[in-house]
Amino acid sequence: MCDLCGKKTGWRAFHCQDGVICKDCYKIVSNHYTTTVTGKTLAELRKDYRQNAAPLDLGEDGFLTSRKVGGFLLLDETRRKFCIPSNRRITGQVARPEIYRYEDLTGYMLACEPSLPPERLEELAANPRETVVIDRMVVRLRLKNAGVRELIVIPSPVRSSSFAFRRAYRAAGQILRELEEIC
């Protein structure tokens, strides 16, 4: 029997430090199979289960993706909402998607480390012979009642002469154009 939900585990029982859980519970507490549970206790797993099993608040009218901007932003144009999905590959952490209304967006900007003006970034993207190391690039969103959220476009240092930089800069440009339409 599963120590979290009480169902039969069948042939697929996953062991933690002080119990076993079923396949369905394992999917929830392991963040869709991205972590293991062998080093965790049942108390820790119960906390993760309560946190991750709660349904995502889509609002009273739901959320239906009508457009997508890479893996960075999902748009529901009919309900005037946008979603910041969890992208574990980029952020290095597992987080729940966040859904906001268009009206919640009060501002946005492209930021990078080292700090460079947009004109300089444009020059670097157009001229691959010049090399500057860009440590990080994000699109910062200022949201009502939610503070600041970051869409990480470049998570680790890259050379401005690289294809990775040009591709990330194009993605940031797409995000900024979509945000301009929203505002």
Side-chain angles (χ1 to χ4, degrees), residues 159-171:
R159 292 184 318 272
S160 62
S161 60
S162 69
F163 176 72
F165 170 76
R166 289 192 303 279
R167 184 180 61 195
Y169 184 72
R170 279 194 307 269

Side-chain angles (χ1 to χ4, degrees), residues 59-137:
E60 61 281 349
D61 54 351
F63 186 89
L64 184 63
T65 303
S66 58
R67 245 184 21 226
K68 187 175 168 183
V69 182
F72 302 102
L73 203 58
L74 304 174
L75 302 170
D76 182 348
E77 296 167 311
T78 57
R79 293 171 185 84
R80 300 185 44 79
K81 293 181 180 181
F82 65 95
C83 175
I84 302 172
S86 168
N87 193 335
R88 183 174 165 260
R89 268 184 314 129
I90 293 173
T91 62
Q93 60 187 354
V94 177
R96 293 180 62 107
E98 301 174 26
I99 297 174
Y100 301 99
R101 297 201 169 278
Y102 283 5
E103 302 84 49
D104 294 340
L105 182 64
T106 60
Y108 59 90
M109 67 180 279
L110 179 64
C112 70
E113 295 170 11
S115 182
L116 298 171
E119 301 82 29
R120 180 71 175 128
L121 287 171
E122 183 69 36
E123 288 173 16
L124 291 172
N127 184 6
R129 290 197 166 108
E130 189 175 353
T131 301
V132 173
V133 174
I134 305 296
D135 295 325
R136 188 169 188 259
M137 183 184 295

Side-chain angles (χ1 to χ4, degrees), residues 2 5 17-18 23 40 50 63-64 68 76 85 113 117 124 130 142 156 166 170 178 182:
C2 176
C5 68
Q17 283 184 349
D18 53 353
K23 183 175 118 180
K40 295 184 178 183
R50 282 192 300 274
F63 186 89
L64 184 63
K68 187 175 168 183
D76 182 348
E113 295 170 11
L124 291 172
E130 189 175 353
R142 191 174 47 238
S156 58
R166 289 192 303 279
R170 279 194 307 269
E178 291 296 333
I182 288 173

